[in-house]
């Protein structure tokens, strides 16, 4: 199966709902951007103002039109509030692979289990609905919090792309790469995500 970029993909469980990111989410997500302007400090995206958040959403929608990225807004059912965003990106239907990333969650929702709920929804969809072979996860080599989170969900470290990306401040970011492949998914789901099985 391939990702249908025209379809409204909604992924949800008891805790989280992932729905297609749109400009209608601007007002709901704006307080996060204003209150936590450094949330995307390891990303090459502007953040921290209304204009920057609108540009972020418009860029995500443009990438969706190009069939490269499918961005979601994250809604926390427990707190009845929008908490951030995450995406499928670098999508290759032909190669049956994609990347999970572009993830940012407001600080008050971090370490609450919300991110793990989002990851199980995204991984299940990639491996069980799309029947993809590979899911990649990447982050700035300096982002220890993100690296720990990726490692906690059972992803395998594959290496580092040195001086990989130019950041907004002129810094050359090195990117660390992780993956989960289809043959590993059942074991990871039964162990790391056992509370959802």
């Amino acid at each position: 199966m391939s990702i249908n970029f025209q379809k409204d993909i909604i992924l949800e469980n008891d805790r989280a709902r992932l729905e297609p990111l749109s400009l209608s989410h601007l007002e709901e997500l704006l307080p996060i951007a204003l209150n936590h302007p450094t949330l995307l400090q390891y990303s090459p995206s502007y953040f921290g103002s209304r204009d920057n958040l609108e540009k972020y959403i418009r860029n995500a929608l443009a990438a969706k039109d190009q069939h490269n990225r499918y961005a979601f807004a994250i809604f926390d059912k427990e707190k009845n509030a929008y908490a951030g965003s995450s995406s499928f990106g670098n999508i290759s239907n032909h190669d049956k692979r994609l990347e999970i990333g572009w993830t940012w969650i407001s600080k008050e929702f971090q370490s609450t289990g919300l991110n793990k709920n989002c990851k199980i929804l995204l991984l299940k969809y990639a491996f069980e609905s799309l029947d993809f072979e590979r899911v990649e996860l990447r982050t700035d080599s300096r982002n220890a919090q993100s690296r720990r989170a990726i490692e906690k969900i059972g992803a395998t470290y594959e290496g580092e792309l040195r001086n990989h990306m130019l950041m907004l401040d002129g810094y050359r970011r090195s990117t660390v790469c992780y993956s989960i492949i289809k043959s590993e998914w059942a074991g990871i789901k039964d162990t790391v995500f056992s509370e959802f099985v």
Side-chain angles (χ1 to χ4, degrees):
M1 185 176 165
S2 298
I3 287 187
N4 183 344
F5 289 88
Q6 277 67 54
K7 179 183 175 185
D8 282 346
I9 300 171
I10 297 174
L11 309 175
E12 61 184 322
N13 59 18
D14 291 342
R15 174 69 188 277
R17 183 174 72 242
L18 301 177
E19 58 195 41
L21 181 67
S22 71
L23 284 170
S24 66
H25 293 106
L26 179 63
E27 295 303 323
E28 298 285 356
L29 296 174
L30 184 58
I32 300 171
L34 297 178
N35 293 330
H36 307 291
T38 62
L39 203 55
L40 271 63
Q41 66 178 321
Y42 294 114
S43 166
S45 300
Y46 288 103
F47 202 63
S49 72
R50 172 184 287 276
D51 287 347
N52 287 341
L53 180 59
E54 182 175 344
K55 182 187 245 184
Y56 181 93
I57 294 172
R58 288 190 185 279
N59 287 342
L61 295 175
K64 184 179 182 183
D65 288 341
Q66 295 163 5
H67 294 184
N68 183 52
R69 180 175 163 202
Y70 198 112
F72 298 93
I74 299 170
F75 185 78
D76 186 330
K77 293 181 176 182
E78 189 175 278
K79 298 192 177 184
N80 197 34
Y82 284 92
S85 180
S86 191
S87 297
F88 288 137
N90 294 321
I91 299 163
S92 174
N93 283 322
H94 173 76
D95 296 305
K96 293 185 156 299
R97 73 163 190 263
L98 55 75
E99 181 179 340
I100 293 175
W102 299 264
T103 302
W104 47 274
I105 295 175
S106 186
K107 291 188 182 296
E108 58 267 30
F109 296 88
Q110 294 177 14
S111 300
T112 67
L114 178 63
N115 185 50
K116 191 172 186 182
N117 276 268
C118 292
K119 290 299 186 289
I120 182 70
L121 290 169
L122 293 165
L123 289 165
K124 274 187 73 171
Y125 190 77
F127 288 121
E128 298 177 20
S129 296
L130 296 175
D131 198 30
F132 272 26
E133 292 290 333
R134 174 180 169 87
V135 170
E136 301 170 359
L137 301 104
R138 301 181 179 195
T139 192
D140 190 314
S141 63
R142 301 168 296 170
N143 192 343
Q145 181 180 2
S146 179
R147 293 179 73 162
R148 281 194 305 272
I150 292 169
E151 289 163 3
K152 279 172 71 173
I153 64 167
T156 297
Y157 174 75
E158 293 187 324
E160 184 171 323
L161 304 174
R162 299 177 300 157
N163 287 359
H164 177 236
M165 194 177 295
L166 181 64
M167 303 297 278
L168 298 172
D169 61 2
Y171 179 82
R172 294 291 315 186
R173 162 183 149 168
S174 292
T175 300
V176 288
C177 306
Y178 295 81
S179 73
I180 298 172
I181 59 175
K182 187 177 175 183
S183 61
E184 299 166 337
W185 171 237
I188 288 173
K189 185 170 73 167
D190 288 345
T191 54
V192 176
F193 296 101
S194 59
E195 70 265 40
F196 299 101
V197 177

